[in-house]
């Protein structure tokens, strides 16, 4: 897993280049947002179970067919699996948030996920919607924790939804 700094260094090293103004600006931006990233991770960590529970409730309110007979979250086992997966996305999104890099999402979450869900008959659309709902909840909680600019919170969640949505929705 690489963070924003090691990814930048690797890219410039592979190209055999010294840092230019863009690289310096990128590093500066990452370090300036470091405290806010850690505060956001703290807010997520202390409320993770609540975030997942709220997101699941909102998702099933919007799409009640998921918890009806023959719905994809109908049985207790399937419902629990849905919440487990949402917790999984939340945890790795938090890692990516702190790292300032989406590499961990590619390596640990997205690689093969689409194929796995398709083979199991898990609909991608509600998964994407659940991730978006979690993002909204987290932005509210991070703002309540005192982080003024929460735009960076969008990055990992938007990345996951974009990557999952591109081919299947």
């Amino acid at each position: 897993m690489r963070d924003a700094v090691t990814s930048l260094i690797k890219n410039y090293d592979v190209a055999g280049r010294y840092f230019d103004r863009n690289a310096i600006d990128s590093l500066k931006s990452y370090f300036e947002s470091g405290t806010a990233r850690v505060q956001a991770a703290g807010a997520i960590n202390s409320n993770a179970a609540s975030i997942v529970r709220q997101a699941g409730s909102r998702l099933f309110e919007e799409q009640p067919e998921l918890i009806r007979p023959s719905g994809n979250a109908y049985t207790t086992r399937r419902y629990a699996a849905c919440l487990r997966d949402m917790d999984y996305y939340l945890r790795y999104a938090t890692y990516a948030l702190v790292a300032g890099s989406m590499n961990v999402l590619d390596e640990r979450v997205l690689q093969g996920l689409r194929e796995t869900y398709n083979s199991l008959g898990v609909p991608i659309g509600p998964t994407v919607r659940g991730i978006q709902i979690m993002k909204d909840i987290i932005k509210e909680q991070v703002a309540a924790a005192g982080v003024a600019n929460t735009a960076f919170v969008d990055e990992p969640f938007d990345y996951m939804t974009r990557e999952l949505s591109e081919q299947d929705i």
Side-chain angles (χ1 to χ4, degrees):
M1 178 177 87
R2 293 186 309 254
D3 60 22
V5 176
T6 56
S7 294
L8 183 74
I9 291 170
K10 180 182 181 245
N11 290 340
Y12 275 78
D13 185 44
V14 167
R17 297 174 42 212
Y18 288 98
F19 283 164
D20 55 18
R21 174 52 52 204
N22 291 336
I24 300 298
D25 289 344
S26 178
L27 288 171
K28 183 179 175 186
S29 173
Y30 174 73
F31 288 121
E32 285 174 348
S33 66
T35 301
R37 289 174 186 278
V38 172
Q39 277 183 290
I44 293 168
N45 183 50
S46 63
N47 297 303
S50 174
I51 292 167
V52 170
R53 199 171 31 256
Q54 286 178 52
S57 292
R58 288 186 194 177
L59 175 65
F60 297 134
E61 281 177 24
E62 286 181 16
Q63 299 183 25
E65 66 277 3
L66 293 170
I67 54 175
R68 291 188 184 133
S70 78
N72 223 21
Y74 173 58
T75 64
T76 303
R77 184 181 62 78
R78 286 180 165 188
Y79 185 90
C82 178
L83 295 182
R84 177 207 61 211
D85 287 356
M86 290 177 85
D87 184 64
Y88 184 68
Y89 305 138
L90 179 61
R91 183 165 35 101
Y92 279 100
T94 305
Y95 297 160
L97 188 81
V98 172
S101 171
M102 302 306 114
N103 288 325
V104 68
L105 296 176
D106 289 328
E107 294 171 7
R108 306 286 169 95
V109 178
L110 298 170
Q111 191 175 54
L113 179 65
R114 187 180 304 109
E115 293 79 13
T116 300
Y117 272 14
N118 285 336
S119 71
L120 295 173
V122 176
I124 299 292
T127 302
V128 167
R129 182 64 189 130
I131 292 169
Q132 291 168 338
I133 292 169
M134 278 195 301
K135 177 183 79 170
D136 295 340
I137 292 168
I138 291 163
K139 287 186 78 159
E140 292 169 11
Q141 292 189 356
V142 168
V147 177
N149 182 1
T150 62
F152 65 91
V153 172
D154 294 342
E155 294 175 71
F157 297 96
D158 289 349
Y159 186 81
M160 282 190 289
T161 58
R162 186 175 48 253
E163 291 299 308
L164 288 172
S165 297
E166 279 184 358
Q167 295 180 10
D168 291 293
I169 292 180

